Amino acid sequence: TANFLEKEACRRLTDRLAACGYNSVRIHHHDRMLTQKMGGRCVDLDPVEMDKLDYLFHCCKERGLYLTTDLYVSRTPREIFPELGRPVNGFEEYKFLIHLLDDARKNWEDFSRNFLEHGNPYTGLAWKDDPALITLSMVNEDAIFHCYKNGTPDIKRIYDARFEAWLKQKEIREA
């Protein structure tokens, strides 16, 4: 909840960070709280929580603090992805599926678009256009070996089938 503070707490926090000599802040694990009350696809932004995050961004920027964030960390869509036939069981599965399923990728793209194109009323800029947002991670900790190792059998089958098709397309006989 540290990303979603009341305005006075934002000012105190960013004053302290600047006074300590920090020059950047990572906004992390924000995506779940921005969407958890917003329905099955979890791509729409909760206006109350987004306003708090916008104000934190504004306070950071005013004090010369740059920001970095991720477009996916822990948001868990509750929709059923047709190719999987069930909702995902947590954010680790979803990280893997973004790379495998068109519907999961579209879900990630829709959230990312809504987030980055959102206009911050305190800075007057969309997040994507603000020079204070200096870096973005597309998906936090999505190393393929980690996702595969922790994947469920049904997800591993999808991955294995896609990998075999890729090998065949590239005319690679041995992986």
Side-chain angles (χ1 to χ4, degrees):
T1 59
N3 297 310
F4 304 98
L5 304 170
E6 298 303 321
K7 288 181 171 63
E8 179 56 31
C10 282
R11 290 188 291 269
R12 285 194 324 268
L13 172 65
T14 54
D15 283 344
R16 181 172 292 170
L17 291 171
C20 288
Y22 288 99
N23 65 2
S24 65
V25 171
R26 182 179 185 193
I27 304 295
H28 194 48
H29 282 282
H30 61 290
D31 52 337
R32 181 178 357 162
M33 287 192 66
L34 284 178
T35 62
Q36 68 185 357
K37 298 177 267 182
M38 303 308 289
R41 291 194 71 230
C42 293
V43 298
D44 296 321
L45 307 175
D46 179 321
V48 172
E49 299 303 325
M50 193 66 215
D51 185 70
K52 292 175 184 176
L53 194 60
D54 283 337
Y55 194 74
L56 177 60
F57 189 127
H58 162 74
C59 288
C60 286
K61 185 175 177 176
E62 273 192 333
R63 287 150 185 85
L65 300 167
Y66 292 99
L67 287 102
T68 183
T69 193
D70 310 85
L71 294 177
Y72 182 78
V73 181
S74 55
R75 180 177 63 85
T76 304
R78 294 177 293 278
E79 70 181 293
I80 294 175
F81 295 116
E83 195 171 352
L84 184 59
R86 64 172 174 80
V88 295
N89 293 321
F91 62 89
E92 290 292 339
E93 277 192 359
Y94 184 71
K95 287 178 184 184
F96 200 24
L97 293 175
I98 290 170
H99 303 291
L100 294 175
L101 304 181
D102 292 339
D103 290 329
R105 177 98 178 169
K106 171 101 171 70
N107 179 283
W108 173 80
E109 289 171 351
D110 289 347
F111 169 81
S112 298
R113 186 178 308 102
N114 289 345
F115 181 70
L116 292 173
E117 291 182 355
H118 165 78
N120 184 330
Y122 303 103
T123 64
L125 296 170
W127 279 58
K128 69 178 181 64
D129 297 325
D130 200 311
L133 180 62
I134 57 170
T135 63
L136 282 172
S137 165
M138 299 298 105
V139 179
N140 179 62
E141 297 177 1
D142 67 331
I144 196 86
F145 66 88
H146 176 74
C147 292
Y148 189 85
K149 181 180 92 174
N150 296 316
T152 57
D154 56 344
I155 291 177
K156 286 181 178 182
R157 277 192 296 279
I158 294 169
Y159 175 83
D160 291 342
R162 294 278 176 99
F163 185 57
E164 288 299 321
W166 180 83
L167 288 173
K168 186 175 183 178
Q169 175 192 12
K170 300 292 182 186
E171 299 179 1
I172 299 172
R173 297 177 208 268
E174 196 174 313

